[in-house]
Amino acid sequence: MRNILITNDDGILDGGIIRLAEAAKTFGQVWVVAPDGQRSAASHAISLHDAVDIYPHDFPVDGVQAYTCSGTPADCVRVGRLYVMPQKPDLLLSGINSGYNVATDLQYSGTVGAAFEGAFQGILSAALSEQAESCHEVADYYLPELLAELLTMQLDYGQIVNINIPGCPLSECKGILRDRPVSRGAFYRDTYEAVKTLPGGGVKLMVKGEYNEDAEPGTDFRAVTEHYVSVGIAQNIR
Ligand code: MN
């Protein structure tokens, strides 16, 4: 029996992690350890000076043992692997994130950070992301095939599989593009906006992302803008 650990960065109540656990449970015993709230852009951060609190969670997928964790997505992987699960997982899945993780966004992503933690732990790991308001047809259709394919992949140290799924209707999806390199573009071009002046000469700033379709041909980013599922390998330190 395969053991599968699932986490995300949008929190344990997000719909994406529930749909991922549903799809994954046909491939093995699923464990969920996920943040107790929103942790997007947490990257690969871990908690060192603060304790992390875990609680059993009544997860809405039968047969899944689940815990919330007060830490980061990477903490969830570490706690799942090193404390909760009786043995090392065979597969770590992070997602399904709400919003693409393509191009330079990978560096900030808590979804991707958790997958890299899985890779550091020597577990076959993948990040899954989807840009969808309400239409999950493409994800629901392709997930079984993507997970089966993932289980056959051999990765080197520090590598993860990064999967991005367009949120278009299934009839508009053109299929899967594999071996997509990470774009050097940016999904959002960020600026900072002063929203309030603070006592003592301070200013309260909010990041403001402006959509910027800077997607070179052949990349992960271009694949999703053209309504393909993008599959690629992302590399951390080696
Ligand atoms: Mn997120």
Side-chain angles (χ1 to χ4, degrees):
M1 185 64 149
R2 230 179 250 119
N3 285 293
I4 302 168
L5 175 59
I6 298 182
T7 193
N8 73 350
D9 76 0
D10 295 326
I12 202 162
L13 298 178
D14 190 75
I17 196 169
I18 296 167
R19 289 184 296 110
L20 183 55
E22 278 284 3
K25 75 174 192 179
T26 60
F27 294 90
Q29 174 68 49
V30 172
W31 303 69
V32 167
V33 181
D36 57 15
Q38 179 54 250
R39 302 286 191 283
S40 291
S43 189
H44 198 157
I46 57 167
S47 303
L48 284 185
H49 300 289
D50 295 316
V52 290
D53 303 341
I54 64 169
Y55 285 92
H57 178 81
D58 188 13
F59 197 77
V61 178
D62 281 347
V64 172
Q65 295 197 57
Y67 294 84
T68 63
C69 174
S70 64
T72 65
D75 284 330
C76 293
V77 176
R78 291 158 60 95
V79 165
R81 157 77 178 99
L82 302 170
Y83 184 85
V84 170
M85 292 179 68
Q87 67 279 303
K88 180 175 161 181
D90 304 293
L91 179 66
L92 178 280
L93 301 172
S94 180
I96 306 170
N97 186 60
S98 171
Y100 290 138
N101 277 305
V102 294
T104 50
D105 283 352
L106 264 71
Q107 192 83 31
Y108 306 100
S109 166
T111 307
V112 171
F116 276 125
E117 178 58 34
F120 283 4
Q121 300 275 347
I123 308 161
L124 176 63
S125 298
L128 298 102
S129 308
E130 178 188 31
Q131 192 87 0
E133 292 298 317
S134 56
C135 178
H136 305 291
E137 282 178 17
V138 177
D140 292 341
Y141 179 81
Y142 282 105
L143 264 179
E145 179 181 343
L146 290 165
L147 295 179
E149 194 173 319
L150 175 62
L151 283 163
T152 69
M153 293 175 79
Q154 298 281 329
L155 302 184
D156 287 334
Y157 180 76
Q159 291 186 335
I160 62 161
V161 179
N162 189 39
I163 298 171
N164 281 276
I165 300 167
C168 60
L170 185 58
S171 59
E172 292 172 22
C173 179
K174 297 176 189 161
I176 301 175
L177 286 177
R178 297 171 176 84
D179 303 322
R180 293 299 99 180
V182 179
S183 161
R184 295 184 181 181
F187 204 76
Y188 292 104
R189 205 159 273 163
D190 290 342
T191 54
Y192 282 86
E193 199 172 41
V195 291
K196 193 180 173 186
T197 56
L198 299 169
V203 184
K204 191 183 286 293
L205 301 175
M206 271 302 288
V207 68
K208 192 177 161 200
E210 252 168 60
Y211 183 66
N212 156 57
E213 203 166 283
D214 189 5
E216 314 95 309
T219 60
D220 57 353
F221 195 178
R222 179 62 80 91
V224 291
T225 61
E226 293 182 347
H227 289 182
Y228 288 95
V229 175
S230 172
V231 178
I233 289 175
Q235 172 79 55
N236 206 319
I237 59 170
R238 53 176 147 188

Coordinates of all heavy atoms in Angstrom, one line a residue, residues 158-205:
G158 N 16.7 17.4 -5.1 CA 16.3 18.8 -5.2 C 15.3 19.1 -6.4 O 15.0 20.2 -6.6
Q159 N 14.8 18.0 -7.0 CA 13.9 18.3 -8.1 C 12.4 17.9 -7.7 O 12.2 17.0 -6.9 CB 14.2 17.4 -9.3 CG 15.5 17.8 -10.0 CD 15.8 17.0 -11.2 OE1 15.3 15.9 -11.4 NE2 16.5 17.6 -12.2
I160 N 11.5 18.7 -8.2 CA 10.1 18.4 -8.1 C 9.4 18.4 -9.5 O 10.0 19.0 -10.4 CB 9.4 19.4 -7.2 CG1 9.4 20.8 -7.8 CG2 9.9 19.4 -5.8 CD1 8.4 21.8 -7.3
V161 N 8.2 17.8 -9.5 CA 7.4 18.0 -10.7 C 6.4 19.1 -10.4 O 5.8 19.2 -9.4 CB 6.6 16.6 -11.0 CG1 5.8 16.8 -12.2 CG2 7.6 15.5 -11.2
N162 N 6.4 20.0 -11.4 CA 5.5 21.2 -11.2 C 4.4 21.1 -12.3 O 4.7 21.1 -13.5 CB 6.3 22.5 -11.4 CG 5.5 23.7 -11.0 OD1 4.7 23.6 -10.1 ND2 5.6 24.8 -11.7
I163 N 3.2 21.0 -11.8 CA 2.0 20.8 -12.7 C 1.1 22.0 -12.6 O 0.7 22.4 -11.5 CB 1.3 19.5 -12.3 CG1 2.2 18.3 -12.5 CG2 0.0 19.3 -13.1 CD1 1.6 17.0 -11.9
N164 N 0.7 22.6 -13.7 CA -0.2 23.7 -13.8 C -1.4 23.3 -14.7 O -1.1 22.9 -15.8 CB 0.5 24.9 -14.2 CG 1.3 25.6 -13.1 OD1 0.8 26.3 -12.3 ND2 2.6 25.2 -13.0
I165 N -2.6 23.6 -14.2 CA -3.8 23.2 -14.9 C -4.6 24.4 -15.3 O -5.0 25.2 -14.4 CB -4.5 22.2 -14.0 CG1 -3.7 21.0 -13.7 CG2 -5.8 21.8 -14.7 CD1 -4.2 20.1 -12.6
P166 N -4.9 24.6 -16.5 CA -5.8 25.8 -16.9 C -7.2 25.6 -16.4 O -7.7 24.5 -16.3 CB -5.7 25.8 -18.4 CG -5.4 24.4 -18.8 CD -4.6 23.8 -17.7
G167 N -7.8 26.7 -16.0 CA -9.2 26.6 -15.5 C -10.3 26.8 -16.6 O -11.4 27.2 -16.3
C168 N -9.9 26.5 -17.8 CA -10.9 26.7 -18.9 C -11.8 25.5 -18.9 O -11.5 24.5 -18.3 CB -10.1 26.8 -20.2 SG -9.1 25.4 -20.6
P169 N -12.9 25.5 -19.7 CA -13.7 24.3 -19.9 C -12.9 23.2 -20.5 O -12.0 23.5 -21.3 CB -14.9 24.8 -20.8 CG -14.9 26.3 -20.7 CD -13.5 26.7 -20.4
L170 N -13.2 22.0 -20.3 CA -12.5 20.9 -20.8 C -12.4 20.9 -22.3 O -11.4 20.6 -23.0 CB -13.1 19.5 -20.3 CG -12.4 18.3 -20.7 CD1 -10.9 18.3 -20.2 CD2 -13.1 17.0 -20.2
S171 N -13.5 21.4 -23.0 CA -13.6 21.4 -24.4 C -12.6 22.4 -25.0 O -12.2 22.3 -26.2 CB -15.0 21.8 -24.8 OG -15.3 23.1 -24.3
E172 N -12.1 23.4 -24.2 CA -11.1 24.3 -24.7 C -9.6 24.0 -24.4 O -8.7 24.6 -24.8 CB -11.4 25.7 -24.1 CG -12.7 26.3 -24.6 CD -13.0 27.6 -23.9 OE1 -12.1 28.3 -23.3 OE2 -14.2 27.9 -23.9
C173 N -9.5 22.9 -23.6 CA -8.1 22.5 -23.2 C -7.5 21.7 -24.3 O -8.1 20.7 -24.9 CB -8.1 21.6 -21.9 SG -6.5 21.1 -21.4
K174 N -6.2 22.0 -24.7 CA -5.6 21.4 -25.8 C -4.8 20.1 -25.5 O -4.2 19.5 -26.4 CB -4.7 22.4 -26.5 CG -5.5 23.6 -27.1 CD -4.5 24.6 -27.7 CE -5.2 25.9 -28.1 NZ -4.3 27.0 -28.2
G175 N -4.7 19.8 -24.2 CA -4.0 18.6 -23.8 C -2.9 18.9 -22.8 O -2.9 19.9 -22.2
I176 N -1.9 18.0 -22.7 CA -0.8 18.1 -21.8 C 0.5 18.4 -22.6 O 0.8 17.8 -23.6 CB -0.6 16.8 -21.0 CG1 -1.8 16.4 -20.2 CG2 0.6 16.9 -20.0 CD1 -1.8 15.1 -19.5
L177 N 1.3 19.4 -22.1 CA 2.6 19.7 -22.6 C 3.6 19.3 -21.5 O 3.5 19.8 -20.4 CB 2.8 21.1 -23.1 CG 2.1 21.5 -24.4 CD1 2.3 23.0 -24.6 CD2 2.6 20.7 -25.5
R178 N 4.5 18.4 -21.8 CA 5.5 17.9 -20.8 C 6.9 18.6 -21.0 O 7.1 19.3 -22.0 CB 5.6 16.4 -20.9 CG 4.3 15.7 -20.6 CD 4.3 14.2 -20.9 NE 3.1 13.6 -20.5 CZ 2.0 13.5 -21.3 NH1 2.0 14.1 -22.4 NH2 0.9 12.9 -20.8
D179 N 7.7 18.4 -20.0 CA 9.1 18.9 -20.1 C 9.1 20.4 -20.3 O 10.0 20.9 -21.0 CB 9.9 18.2 -21.2 CG 9.9 16.7 -21.1 OD1 10.0 16.3 -19.9 OD2 9.8 16.0 -22.1
R180 N 8.2 21.1 -19.7 CA 8.2 22.6 -19.9 C 9.2 23.2 -18.9 O 9.1 23.0 -17.7 CB 6.8 23.1 -19.5 CG 5.7 22.8 -20.4 CD 5.8 23.3 -21.8 NE 6.3 22.2 -22.6 CZ 6.6 22.3 -23.9 NH1 6.4 23.5 -24.5 NH2 7.0 21.3 -24.6
P181 N 10.2 24.0 -19.4 CA 11.1 24.7 -18.5 C 10.3 25.9 -17.9 O 9.3 26.3 -18.4 CB 12.2 25.2 -19.5 CG 11.5 25.2 -20.8 CD 10.5 24.2 -20.8
V182 N 10.9 26.3 -16.7 CA 10.3 27.4 -16.0 C 10.6 28.7 -16.7 O 11.7 29.0 -17.0 CB 10.9 27.5 -14.6 CG1 10.2 28.7 -13.8 CG2 10.6 26.2 -13.8
S183 N 9.5 29.5 -17.0 CA 9.7 30.8 -17.7 C 10.4 31.8 -16.8 O 10.3 31.7 -15.6 CB 8.3 31.3 -18.0 OG 8.3 32.7 -18.2
R184 N 11.2 32.7 -17.4 CA 11.8 33.7 -16.6 C 11.0 35.0 -16.6 O 11.4 36.0 -16.1 CB 13.2 34.0 -17.2 CG 14.1 32.8 -17.0 CD 15.5 33.0 -17.4 NE 16.3 31.8 -17.2 CZ 17.5 31.6 -17.5 NH1 18.2 32.6 -18.0 NH2 18.2 30.5 -17.3
G185 N 9.8 34.9 -17.1 CA 8.9 36.0 -17.0 C 8.3 36.1 -15.6 O 8.7 35.6 -14.6
A186 N 7.2 36.9 -15.5 CA 6.5 37.1 -14.3 C 5.0 37.2 -14.5 O 4.6 37.9 -15.5 CB 7.0 38.3 -13.5
F187 N 4.3 36.6 -13.7 CA 2.8 36.6 -13.9 C 2.3 38.0 -13.5 O 1.4 38.5 -14.2 CB 2.3 35.5 -12.9 CG 0.9 35.0 -13.4 CD1 0.8 34.2 -14.4 CD2 -0.2 35.5 -12.7 CE1 -0.4 33.7 -14.8 CE2 -1.5 35.0 -13.1 CZ -1.6 34.1 -14.1
Y188 N 2.9 38.5 -12.4 CA 2.5 39.9 -12.0 C 3.7 40.7 -11.9 O 4.8 40.3 -11.5 CB 1.9 39.8 -10.6 CG 0.5 39.1 -10.6 CD1 0.4 37.8 -10.1 CD2 -0.6 39.8 -11.1 CE1 -0.9 37.2 -10.1 CE2 -1.8 39.1 -11.1 CZ -2.0 37.9 -10.6 OH -3.2 37.2 -10.6
R189 N 3.6 42.0 -12.4 CA 4.6 42.9 -12.2 C 4.2 43.8 -11.0 O 3.3 44.5 -11.0 CB 4.8 43.8 -13.5 CG 6.1 44.4 -13.6 CD 6.4 44.7 -15.1 NE 6.9 43.6 -15.9 CZ 6.9 43.6 -17.2 NH1 6.3 44.6 -17.9 NH2 7.4 42.6 -17.9
D190 N 4.9 43.6 -9.9 CA 4.5 44.2 -8.6 C 5.0 45.6 -8.4 O 6.1 46.0 -8.8 CB 5.0 43.4 -7.4 CG 4.3 42.0 -7.3 OD1 3.2 41.9 -7.9 OD2 4.9 41.1 -6.7
T191 N 4.1 46.4 -7.8 CA 4.5 47.7 -7.3 C 4.0 47.8 -5.9 O 3.3 46.9 -5.4 CB 3.9 48.9 -8.2 OG1 2.5 48.7 -8.2 CG2 4.5 48.9 -9.6
Y192 N 4.5 48.8 -5.2 CA 4.0 49.1 -3.8 C 3.2 50.4 -3.8 O 3.6 51.4 -4.3 CB 5.1 49.1 -2.8 CG 5.6 47.7 -2.5 CD1 6.5 47.0 -3.4 CD2 5.0 47.0 -1.5 CE1 6.9 45.7 -3.1 CE2 5.4 45.6 -1.2 CZ 6.3 45.0 -2.1 OH 6.6 43.7 -1.8
E193 N 2.1 50.3 -3.1 CA 1.2 51.4 -3.0 C 1.1 51.9 -1.6 O 0.8 51.0 -0.7 CB -0.2 51.0 -3.5 CG -1.1 52.1 -3.9 CD -2.4 51.5 -4.6 OE1 -2.9 50.5 -4.1 OE2 -2.8 52.0 -5.6
A194 N 1.2 53.2 -1.3 CA 1.0 53.7 0.0 C -0.4 53.8 0.3 O -1.2 54.4 -0.4 CB 1.7 55.1 0.1
V195 N -0.9 53.1 1.4 CA -2.3 53.0 1.7 C -2.6 53.9 2.9 O -3.8 54.2 3.1 CB -2.9 51.6 1.9 CG1 -2.8 50.9 0.5 CG2 -2.1 50.8 2.9
K196 N -1.6 54.2 3.7 CA -1.9 55.0 4.9 C -0.6 55.6 5.4 O 0.5 54.9 5.3 CB -2.5 54.0 6.0 CG -3.1 54.7 7.2 CD -3.6 53.6 8.1 CE -4.1 54.1 9.4 NZ -4.5 53.1 10.3
T197 N -0.6 56.8 5.9 CA 0.6 57.3 6.6 C 0.5 56.9 8.1 O -0.6 56.8 8.7 CB 0.7 58.8 6.5 OG1 -0.5 59.4 7.0 CG2 1.0 59.3 5.1
L198 N 1.6 56.6 8.7 CA 1.6 56.1 10.1 C 2.3 57.1 11.0 O 3.2 57.9 10.5 CB 2.4 54.7 10.1 CG 1.8 53.6 9.3 CD1 2.7 52.4 9.2 CD2 0.4 53.2 9.9
P199 N 2.0 57.1 12.2 CA 2.7 58.0 13.2 C 4.2 57.7 13.1 O 4.6 56.6 12.9 CB 2.1 57.7 14.5 CG 0.9 56.8 14.3 CD 1.0 56.2 12.9
G200 N 5.0 58.8 13.3 CA 6.4 58.6 13.4 C 7.1 58.6 12.0 O 8.2 58.2 11.9
G201 N 6.3 59.0 11.0 CA 6.9 59.1 9.6 C 6.8 57.8 8.8 O 7.4 57.7 7.8
G202 N 6.1 56.8 9.3 CA 5.9 55.6 8.6 C 4.9 55.6 7.5 O 4.0 56.5 7.5
V203 N 4.9 54.7 6.7 CA 3.9 54.5 5.6 C 3.5 53.0 5.6 O 4.4 52.2 5.6 CB 4.5 54.9 4.2 CG1 3.4 54.9 3.2 CG2 5.1 56.3 4.3
K204 N 2.2 52.8 5.5 CA 1.7 51.4 5.3 C 1.7 51.1 3.8 O 1.0 51.9 3.0 CB 0.4 51.3 5.9 CG -0.1 49.8 6.0 CD -1.5 49.7 6.6 CE -1.6 49.9 8.1 NZ -0.9 48.9 8.9
L205 N 2.4 50.1 3.4 CA 2.4 49.7 2.0 C 1.7 48.4 1.7 O 1.8 47.5 2.4 CB 3.9 49.6 1.5 CG 4.8 50.8 1.7 CD1 6.3 50.4 1.4 CD2 4.3 52.0 0.9

